[in-house]
Amino acid sequence: MSRRWHSASAPGKFVILGEHSVVYGKPAVVLAADCRITCSVRRSRRNTLNGEPIEFARQPLLRYLTRNLRHAADFMTSSDIPAGAGLGSSAALSAAMALAIGSMEGTDPGERQLVDEAYNAELSLQGSGSPMDASACVHGKGIGVNLPGTEDRKLWRISRNGNVWNVSDIDVPEMTFVVGNTGVKAPTGPQVDKVRRFVSRSNFAMEMIEEIGNVTLSGYEALKKNDVETLGRMMLIDHKLLSILGVSCRELNKLVNAALPFSYGAKLTGSGGGGCMIALTDQPERVSSAITSRGGTAYIMKTGTPGAKIEECMPDGPLFDIPVF
Ligand code: PMV
């Protein structure tokens, strides 16, 4: 039995336009974030995560991803994606872990299978949601969901509970975003449930969802033309619509307002209720200091980050072979 470490990494993601409405099959535009999680795995006698025994009953994500393993394994992870902050950390962890497990088992899952693994792992954690995060973390760079005119770049089609998500590769011009983390933890599941309750009892909420869909399409047209002014304007409208749906919060609004004087546009990203906002800007340093001065943590992000991939190194050192027991 080889006890060689197998490593893989995957990026986080941020949503330029379309979170929440994508859950109802509306379009979305998502980019891979310039930060990654790395997962290493090797055969072992006991199941451990970062040196601690794994309690599968409390780890639905790990339980799902390891369901077909016939042996125990050690997992090591390292990450610069803030957790529970709307940057897709659980999808990135799932994608990196599934790819590392595939490498250990001598199988190459390929992007399509990897997306299914990451999406189902996320569902085991949060119960409902779209395959948007999993798709962005696996494929990297930029993806579009249910965007008309992208059929020739189609990556995959996923359907669940009557909703269909056609995911495509999209061209993303060089742009700079600043991500601002409020530091307020807000898990995805409750935010998605909150919007679902609102939608189920009010036509008005469904109209907001439709409106986010329209804004997303206009923003995508602007992105294709590298028209950052219009794209930024659509991002701000999207933020206002999401606020009406009840998923923004004081801290997010504070950081959005701080970024706006130096940005084309800004909005919350991900499920909201806390977590992160993004600003599209060509003055990243000024936006970063505005965010920092209001108590947020800022990360400058460029476009073009690669998706899930095999890594040659352990997170903290070179790959090495350990003798069999
Ligand atoms: O907060 P995150 O990174 O898990 O993003 C969730 C995005 C939602 O549209 C709110 C939910 C989903 O599954 O699409």
Side-chain angles (χ1 to χ4, degrees):
M1 174 178 85
S2 164
R3 294 197 68 224
R4 189 165 78 85
W5 286 100
H6 296 263
S7 303
S9 73
K13 68 95 204 13
F14 56 92
V15 187
I16 310 191
L17 291 163
E19 53 272 268
H20 283 291
S21 53
V22 73
V23 174
Y24 303 85
K26 303 292 171 213
V29 182
V30 191
L31 301 189
D34 206 355
C35 49
R36 304 184 81 78
I37 192 159
T38 303
C39 175
S40 301
V41 58
R42 67 177 179 186
R43 287 169 175 258
S44 178
R45 282 179 173 164
R46 296 184 314 143
N47 288 303
T48 65
L49 174 63
N50 296 330
E52 299 292 326
I54 299 177
E55 287 182 59
F56 282 108
R58 295 173 52 176
Q59 296 271 14
L61 202 124
L62 275 178
R63 194 168 63 230
Y64 180 81
L65 291 168
T66 56
R67 71 198 179 286
N68 293 328
L69 277 187
R70 304 253 173 275
H71 55 83
D74 295 320
F75 294 92
M76 296 281 288
T77 59
S78 68
S79 173
D80 55 8
I81 309 175
L87 294 184
S89 57
S90 54
L93 172 65
S94 305
M97 198 170 266
L99 189 55
I101 289 173
S103 164
M104 175 176 68
E105 298 300 277
T107 57
D108 175 6
E111 281 198 356
R112 179 66 179 89
Q113 200 184 325
L114 214 47
V115 163
D116 281 341
E117 279 294 283
Y119 180 38
N120 287 324
E122 268 204 290
L123 288 179
S124 73
L125 192 68
Q126 72 194 35
S128 60
S130 75
M132 169 180 78
D133 284 26
S135 298
C137 296
V138 166
H139 184 68
K141 300 177 287 270
I143 59 145
V145 184
N146 293 344
L147 288 175
T150 57
E151 293 76 11
D152 56 333
R153 306 276 293 271
K154 184 168 157 187
L155 294 169
W156 40 78
R157 176 185 196 273
I158 297 176
S159 55
R160 193 164 301 237
N161 300 334
N163 287 313
V164 176
W165 295 281
N166 285 303
V167 180
S168 313
D169 174 58
I170 57 169
D171 288 328
V172 182
E174 261 181 48
M175 291 183 291
T176 306
F177 290 86
V178 179
V179 174
N181 189 355
T182 61
V184 178
K185 294 250 180 210
T188 305
Q191 299 300 316
V192 173
D193 290 345
K194 182 176 176 180
V195 174
R196 177 164 296 116
R197 282 196 301 276
F198 194 10
V199 166
S200 69
R201 60 167 198 268
S202 134
N203 289 340
F204 173 76
M206 198 57 212
E207 280 166 26
M208 293 300 106
I209 296 283
E210 298 281 349
E211 205 46 47
I212 292 177
N214 295 335
V215 164
T216 300
L217 293 181
S218 305
Y220 177 59
E221 287 307 312
L223 177 81
K224 284 199 289 191
K225 296 183 207 133
N226 204 0
D227 173 359
V228 282
E229 277 94 2
T230 307
L231 176 57
R233 244 189 349 266
M234 294 305 128
M235 287 168 57
L236 185 56
I237 297 174
D238 191 14
H239 180 73
K240 291 176 181 169
L241 293 167
L242 289 164
S243 304
I244 296 170
L245 279 180
V247 294
S248 191
C249 65
R250 205 167 45 88
E251 291 83 355
L252 279 167
N253 292 341
K254 195 164 70 175
L255 298 192
V256 165
N257 288 332
L260 280 175
F262 317 109
S263 305
Y264 297 109
K267 62 181 276 288
L268 71 84
T269 190
S271 52
C276 291
M277 48 68 69
I278 53 166
L280 173 60
T281 181
D282 52 16
Q283 302 178 67
E285 305 299 340
R286 295 184 82 170
V287 173
S288 294
S289 36
I291 287 172
T292 311
S293 72
R294 307 291 161 84
T297 310
Y299 312 85
I300 297 174
M301 301 216 175
K302 300 273 185 209
T303 47
T305 300
K309 58 187 173 80
I310 296 287
E311 297 287 351
E312 292 305 323
C313 290
M314 275 283 294
D316 300 311
L319 194 71
F320 54 96
D321 268 309
I322 292 179
V324 181
F325 284 121

